[in-house]
Structures are given as structure tokens and as C-alpha cells.
Amino acid sequence: RAPPRSATPSHQPTTNTSNTEMAAASLTAHAAGVAARVKSALLVALCADSLAMPLHWFYSAAPARQLYALPLRDYTAPNDYHPGSIMAVSNTGGGGRGGQRADVVGGVILKGKKRHWGRRDVHYHIGMRAGDNTLNAHCARLLTRTLAAGEPFVPAYIDFMTADTPRHPDTYAESWHRQFFKNWARGVEPEQCGQDDGHNIDSIGGFWSTPAVVAHAALNGADEDAAAADERAQLQGLCCSVLQAITARLDADVAPHADDIMSALFAVLKQSSASVVSEEALMATGALANAIGDAFDRYLGDIVPVLGQALGNTQVATLCLVAVGVVGDCCRAVGGAMREHVQAFYEVLVSDLKADDLDKDVKPAILSCFGDLAMACGKDFFPYVVDVMHILRAASVTRVDPSDLEQVEYLQRLHESVLEACTGIVHGFEEAEHTRSFEGLEQFANFMLAFAVHVYRTEPPESALRCIVGLIGDVASVFGRLEPSIKDMCRKEGELLQILNAAGHHPNTEIQEIAHYSRSVLGV
């Protein structure tokens, strides 16, 4: 029933309520609303885990339909039978697949459950009841409780997992659990027990923590002291990192969620003063650009100023380096849409190279980025080609102490970045119809090919060798179309042909294919 209508107009404050009291009431109501949404989100996540539990690790619908009435509309106990289950070959002594002799499973964690491992076609959650939560959901609940209490998670996690009387109903533990407790049982310090298995631990295995982390961040967003602000920044960085992993895994399928993702990332980039958070948000932005391709152009107007600010922050090397990488991601994603921004990016990148405080590790990335801009912008990059070639020539004569391994590795990165920049510049000339504005085209070709030979003589890594072999063919193809004498020069240069012949017999098939392309261009 509606309450009685107030005699006081709704747009006027009552005389007995101060502005401070009204603001406090508003904040209280907002906080209560956020808390209610957080509670609902956590409950929905746990309900979803229970509902989906019987169908875990079914990779096609056909066998699932034989065992369950799909779609599942109520909590269901898992069938003991699970065709294709890898429980029989999962490592009971650590992560991944392996033998069943070790007792991390059964002796350290999942006590009393090892009897189900090593059997074929056994459901991962055998013995669980309808509505039960999986181990990962229980870990999410544990993380929620420790965050709320301000207590460390790892000790609580160890107690929970190693309890003699199991505190969860699950039979299976993913690789990240098993790898952790393999190390812990050997006496490794808990903070060092986490270990990547080269498969899923560094991405999919961490998703269970997302609901608790996001909920904690939502409930602790106001009136923070310095310590709380630092914690919030760490949580935001973690969320951006998880978002990056999700985006990379979904690839083009993430497109329907692109607006929501960019809205969240823009909010982080505009609000956070912590460089590490900005780095994570920018890397997630680059991942989205790679995933959705030219559809990313609708965000350029907003992201370009953010990238410009990050690029100008040469005092924070990692942030500047990440920003350079994202510029490259945008070039590859949207191509010609970068034309209207090419001058702004060119100017800030050149300014970075001139900065006294620029970390040397950023320089190779900037040189490569020139190539990305040239390839994306084509003829719109022509006004900058001569100056960029001067920059590349200067970088190509860099010398280091050959006895210093770190310097040698840096020089290899620098060489590869010059090769990548040259490749991008060559491809940018695919739009050119004449060479009247580039009387020095032959000089460009001479430098590029001579540098390629020089780097080849240093016995470069495979990544640089791919660049060398491809650059020879690209120069002959693109520059040779504009100036036929360049292709003739390539055919007559014996050392170039020797490089292509050797690359054609390289153990790496990709290098063989690139060599075949370059030789076909030259007709040799």
C-alpha cells in the first residue's frame, strides 16, 4: 500500500534535516545497495557452480545428453560415469597428467578420495550430491571470508585443503591445487609454492577467485586510507589481468562484451594513479584490440589520449613500454583508422627517444612501433619516413661490450626491432604508385639489405632470422615494383642468395616457407 503523500514538495529539503544528514543517508543507502548486489552476485556464482557441476569437462553435448536431461533446470547429482574423463591419467603427485603412485592426492589433500583416481571414465565430482559446490567454489567462499575478515588467505587455504576430515565434498582437484601442495609437502615456503604448469594454471585456473576479489573491491571503494588504496589498486590490477586472460582466450567471441569491457577499463585508467594498474588495464585494452580487430576503431578517440599520456611518462619505464606495445596492437587491429592519429603518435615516440630518462629497454619497442605505424598508415606515414630511416641508421651502428651477456642480448633486441621497423616501412610503400617523392628509395633498400646481411653474420636468434629472410623478399617485391633496378640488385647480390638458400634448409618450417616466398619473388 502506498504511503501517505507528504505535504512537503519533493524538490525541497525539509527544514529539520541538514545537508550533512542527507548526504550521510544517501551514502548509507548507496552502500546498502552495493552490499545487496554483492551478496546477490556471490550467491548467483555459487548457484551457477552447483547447477553446472554435473556437466564439468564435457567437451561436446552428445555424451552429456545421453546422461542428463538437458538443459539442466535444477540441481542434479553427477552420474558416476563420465566418458573421456582423464581421472585415470591425472597426476596424483602434482599438476598435469602423470602416474598414480604419489600421494599428494589422498595423503596431503583429498584424503580418502584417491581410490577414485586411476579409474577410467569416472566423473570428476563422483560422490557429490545435487546442489553441492565444487572445490573451487569452496575456495572462492574461503577467499571471501578471509578478505572480509582481513586475514591472510594462504594459511587458511592450507588448513582447509589438508584437513583430515574433508571440509568440502569434491573428489577432484585441478592442477594448480596439486602443484601447490606438491611443493608445500616438500617444505617449500607457502608463498613460493604456486607454479605454472605451462597449460592452464596461469589463466583458467585463476578464474575461481574473481567473484570474491570483485566483491571485496566493490565493498571497499570509498574512504580509503593509504594502505586500503594500495590494496584496492592491487585488486584492480588483478581484475584487469584476469580480464586480459579471458579476452585472449575468447578471442573474437568476446566482441559482444567489448563495450562493457572498455567501459570498465576506461574507468580504471581515468581513476587509478597507480602505474601498475594502468599497465594491466592497458594490456587488457591491447588484448581486446587484438581480439576484435577493426571493430576496435570506435574506441580510438578515447584511448589515444590515454596512450599519449602513458607514452609521455618516460620516468615509469614499464608503463611507457606497455603503452608502446598497445599502440602496435591498435595498428594491427584497426589499420588505416590510425591515419588521423599518426602525427600525434610519431611526435611523442620521437620525443621519448630524445628523453634523457628513457630506459634503454623501451627503445627497441619504439623502433618496432614505427614499423607498425608505417604498415597501418601507408602513404600517410610517408612524411616521416626519411627521419625514421635516419633514426634506424643510428640505431643500427650501436656497439656493446661483447663480453657482457646482458648488453649482447639488448643489442639482439635492438637489431630485431630495426628489422621489424624496416619491414613495416617497406609494406607501407605498397600504397605508393610512383617514386618521385622518394628519390632515396634505392638508398633505403641498400641500407636495409646491408643491415640484414650484417645481422645474419652475428648468428641471430630464429625470430630475427625470420625478419631477415622476409625483409629480403619484401624489399625485392615492394621496392622492386617501384624501382625495378632494386630487384635486379637483389638477384645479383650473392650473399643475399646464400642467406635464402641456407634458410630454405633451416629446421624451422616457418623459416623455410618465408625463404620460399623470398626466392619466388626474386625468381631464383
Side-chain angles (χ1 to χ4, degrees):
R1 190 175 60 172
R5 189 181 300 273
S6 170
T8 306
S10 60
H11 63 279
Q12 295 179 352
T14 56
T15 56
N16 62 347
T17 303
S18 70
N19 288 337
T20 301
E21 289 172 328
M22 291 179 65
S26 176
L27 286 173
T28 301
H30 174 72
V34 171
R37 291 169 63 191
V38 165
K39 180 179 179 180
S40 296
L42 290 173
L43 287 174
V44 168
L46 295 173
C47 291
D49 173 79
S50 295
L51 184 64
M53 174 264 291
L55 300 179
H56 281 182
W57 291 292
F58 276 89
Y59 295 111
S60 63
R65 287 197 182 99
Q66 295 176 2
L67 299 172
Y68 303 98
L70 299 184
L72 293 182
R73 301 186 183 279
D74 200 355
Y75 298 130
T76 305
N79 192 303
D80 290 356
Y81 175 67
H82 189 310
S85 165
I86 64 167
M87 288 278 280
V89 294
S90 291
N91 184 6
T92 60
R97 302 190 183 192
Q100 307 281 317
R101 293 183 179 180
D103 290 324
V104 171
V105 172
V108 181
I109 62 174
L110 298 175
K111 295 174 182 177
K113 299 295 181 72
K114 187 179 178 182
R115 67 183 187 278
H116 297 299
W117 293 58
R119 296 165 51 194
R120 293 184 53 142
D121 298 327
V122 171
H123 199 291
Y124 299 87
H125 304 305
I126 185 172
M128 290 178 61
R129 300 170 301 179
D132 277 349
N133 277 127
T134 65
L135 171 57
N136 281 356
H138 278 275
C139 287
R141 295 176 64 186
L142 178 65
L143 179 59
T144 302
R145 293 194 296 271
T146 55
L147 285 171
E151 298 172 350
F153 170 72
V154 173
Y157 168 65
I158 293 172
D159 290 343
F160 173 79
M161 292 292 292
T162 60
D164 290 333
T165 301
R167 299 179 188 173
H168 63 85
D170 214 339
T171 301
Y172 185 68
E174 292 182 34
S175 283
W176 67 273
H177 295 290
R178 300 181 339 246
Q179 196 71 27
F180 181 97
F181 283 100
K182 170 187 175 181
N183 293 329
W184 180 78
R186 292 176 173 177
V188 177
E189 289 296 320
E191 291 77 9
Q192 305 299 320
C193 285
Q195 183 178 340
D196 180 18
D197 67 347
H199 178 50
N200 62 10
I201 288 179
D202 58 343
S203 54
I204 298 297
F207 286 179
W208 64 272
S209 65
T210 306
V213 171
V214 172
H216 184 70
L219 291 173
N220 292 271
D223 300 325
E224 301 167 315
D225 56 20
D230 181 64
E231 181 183 5
R232 176 177 172 81
Q234 292 183 37
L235 292 172
Q236 284 181 322
L238 177 60
C239 290
C240 290
S241 179
V242 172
L243 195 57
Q244 178 191 0
I246 295 172
T247 301
R249 183 59 61 93
L250 291 178
D251 199 40
D253 291 337
V254 81
H257 311 286
D259 286 347
D260 290 336
I261 292 172
M262 284 307 301
S263 177
L265 293 176
F266 279 136
V268 171
L269 288 166
K270 291 176 181 178
Q271 296 173 8
S272 177
S273 60
S275 63
V276 67
V277 178
S278 298
E279 292 164 22
E280 295 290 353
L282 284 176
M283 285 191 286
T285 301
L288 184 64
N290 287 325
I292 66 175
D294 56 9
F296 190 80
D297 64 355
R298 64 183 185 269
Y299 307 119
L300 282 182
D302 291 317
I303 197 62
V304 165
V306 176
L307 287 172
Q309 185 175 4
L311 288 169
N313 194 355
T314 53
Q315 293 180 336
V316 184
T318 52
L319 177 61
C320 187
L321 184 60
V322 168
V324 173
V326 176
V327 173
D329 292 332
C330 292
C331 288
R332 289 183 288 275
V334 304
M338 291 291 285
R339 295 175 190 269
E340 63 181 287
H341 308 290
V342 62
Q343 181 177 354
F345 281 128
Y346 170 77
E347 290 176 351
V348 71
L349 290 173
V350 171
S351 176
D352 282 357
L353 289 175
K354 295 178 180 178
D356 293 333
D357 57 358
L358 180 72
D359 189 289
K360 67 180 180 67
D361 288 330
V362 182
K363 184 175 181 178
I366 292 177
L367 300 184
S368 294
C369 194
F370 284 138
D372 294 327
L373 286 168
M375 189 179 297
C377 300
K379 61 185 179 182
D380 288 276
F381 194 77
F382 287 177
Y384 315 106
V385 167
V386 173
D387 289 338
V388 170
M389 289 302 297
H390 285 310
I391 294 171
L392 298 180
R393 286 177 185 273
S396 71
V397 296
T398 301
R399 297 291 181 265
V400 299
D401 181 357
S403 64
D404 188 322
L405 181 59
E406 183 177 342
Q407 290 189 37
V408 171
E409 291 177 348
Y410 168 75
L411 186 62
Q412 288 179 337
R413 295 198 303 273
L414 193 66
H415 283 170
E416 191 167 339
S417 69
V418 173
L419 292 168
E420 290 171 346
C422 290
T423 300
I425 290 171
V426 172
H427 281 282
F429 273 86
E430 290 178 340
E431 289 190 356
E433 298 177 357
H434 56 78
T435 60
R436 288 194 297 272
S437 300
F438 291 92
E439 295 180 357
L441 197 65
E442 189 170 340
Q443 285 76 16
F444 293 173
N446 283 332
F447 161 70
M448 292 178 181
L449 296 175
F451 182 67
V453 170
H454 166 70
V455 177
Y456 182 78
R457 292 170 179 168
T458 67
E459 299 182 359
E462 288 188 357
S463 55
L465 181 58
R466 282 194 292 268
C467 293
I468 292 169
V469 177
L471 182 60
I472 295 171
D474 292 339
V475 168
S477 173
V478 180
F479 284 180
R481 176 179 62 83
L482 299 171
E483 184 61 62
S485 63
I486 293 178
K487 182 179 288 189
D488 293 336
M489 176 186 68
C490 293
R491 289 195 186 105
K492 295 175 182 177
E493 179 54 55
E495 195 158 6
L496 295 179
L497 301 181
Q498 290 175 11
I499 291 173
L500 298 183
N501 288 335
H505 297 88
H506 195 279
N508 187 312
T509 55
E510 182 183 357
I511 293 176
Q512 291 180 27
E513 292 171 0
I514 299 172
H516 176 74
Y517 150 75
S518 294
R519 292 184 60 175
S520 66
V521 170
L522 293 173
V524 296

